[in-house]
Amino acid sequence: MRFLTLAVCVFVLCLPASGAAAKTATATLVNNTSFELHQIFLSPSHESHWGPDQLGQEILEPGYQYTLSGMPCGKYDVKLVDEHGGECVIQGDYLCGDAGQWILTDEELLECEGFKTDTASATLINDSSFDIYALFISPTHSNRWGPDQLGDEVLETGYSFTVSGLPCGDYDIKLVDEDRDVCVVEGVYLCGAEGESVLTDEELLDCQGW
């Protein structure tokens, strides 16, 4: 896992070198979402304007983490901006010392006021002669698969499975059968209620890797 570390000097709180050293805070943001985060802003909660973008030219991709350090202890507001310009503002987090890890999830972002709220749902009908034992979904821009959507379930022949709550966007979909044969469908755009997609033997047998 990549570590991106930056000593943060919030523009309203940079202190002169003289005098006793103030207590500082360190916190690590873990991006366990499906979103790329393109900007992270900090502001002391009592201020009305944001400090500089902490990421600079970096992008906090899904599965990676970013460490903020050197901040004076206190309450902070944090603004996160994704690749689509969606914003999430988290207010009043108290940071001091080693604040540990803050793990960010899709659920938290999608519930965040002001963030991208358009989501997708789609139903896969297994009309093939294969039982599907695993179903993975990943944003097309990511190089990591998300968790198995089926969990402990099996999508048997003649049954359907609905995926919902995904942020709108382009996705790759990976299907795995009982013999561990794999089919990857790339670049499927999902947004809103996408209706039903029927999976057939012909489609699976034509799929590279099956």
Side-chain angles (χ1 to χ4, degrees):
M1 184 171 287
R2 178 176 61 181
F3 291 81
L4 303 175
T5 305
L6 178 67
V8 176
C9 182
V10 181
F11 70 104
V12 293
L13 289 176
C14 296
L15 301 177
S18 60
K23 291 184 178 180
T24 60
T26 298
T28 299
L29 175 65
V30 181
N31 186 6
N32 275 2
T33 75
S34 303
F35 300 90
E36 289 182 353
L37 297 180
H38 284 221
Q39 294 176 303
I40 299 175
F41 299 95
L42 293 179
S43 173
S45 293
H46 62 272
E47 294 290 339
S48 59
H49 50 277
W50 294 102
D53 174 19
Q54 303 298 329
L55 290 178
Q57 299 300 313
E58 300 285 350
I59 294 174
L60 182 54
E61 299 176 356
Y64 291 92
Q65 62 188 36
Y66 190 90
T67 298
L68 303 170
S69 62
M71 300 166 292
C73 290
K75 282 188 176 182
Y76 288 89
D77 298 338
V78 183
K79 180 167 70 171
L80 309 170
V81 184
D82 79 342
E83 68 263 39
H84 304 293
E87 297 183 358
C88 177
V89 175
I90 300 168
Q91 298 179 329
D93 273 359
Y94 182 75
L95 302 178
C96 195
D98 184 0
Q101 290 186 337
W102 169 33
I103 300 176
L104 191 63
T105 65
D106 278 344
E107 183 179 5
E108 290 172 323
L109 283 186
L110 292 171
E111 290 178 352
C112 185
E113 184 176 355
F115 203 73
K116 180 181 176 69
T117 56
D118 291 339
T119 59
S121 62
T123 298
L124 178 65
I125 300 174
N126 187 4
D127 201 24
S128 75
S129 56
F130 302 91
D131 289 339
I132 304 300
Y133 276 64
L135 169 62
F136 300 94
I137 297 178
S138 171
T140 298
H141 57 71
S142 176
N143 60 1
R144 293 164 51 97
W145 290 104
D148 178 11
Q149 299 292 326
L150 293 178
D152 294 329
E153 297 183 40
V154 175
L155 179 53
E156 298 177 353
T157 299
Y159 288 86
S160 64
F161 183 81
T162 299
V163 178
S164 61
L166 296 172
C168 290
D170 291 319
Y171 288 90
D172 298 340
I173 301 171
K174 180 167 71 172
L175 306 169
V176 183
D177 77 351
E178 64 266 35
D179 297 320
R180 298 189 181 277
D181 297 319
V182 175
C183 175
V184 176
V185 182
E186 298 181 336
V188 179
Y189 181 74
L190 299 177
C191 194
E194 293 294 315
E196 296 178 341
S197 177
V198 180
L199 189 64
T200 65
D201 280 344
E202 182 179 5
E203 290 173 324
L204 286 179
L205 293 173
D206 286 342
C207 186
Q208 184 176 358
W210 195 258

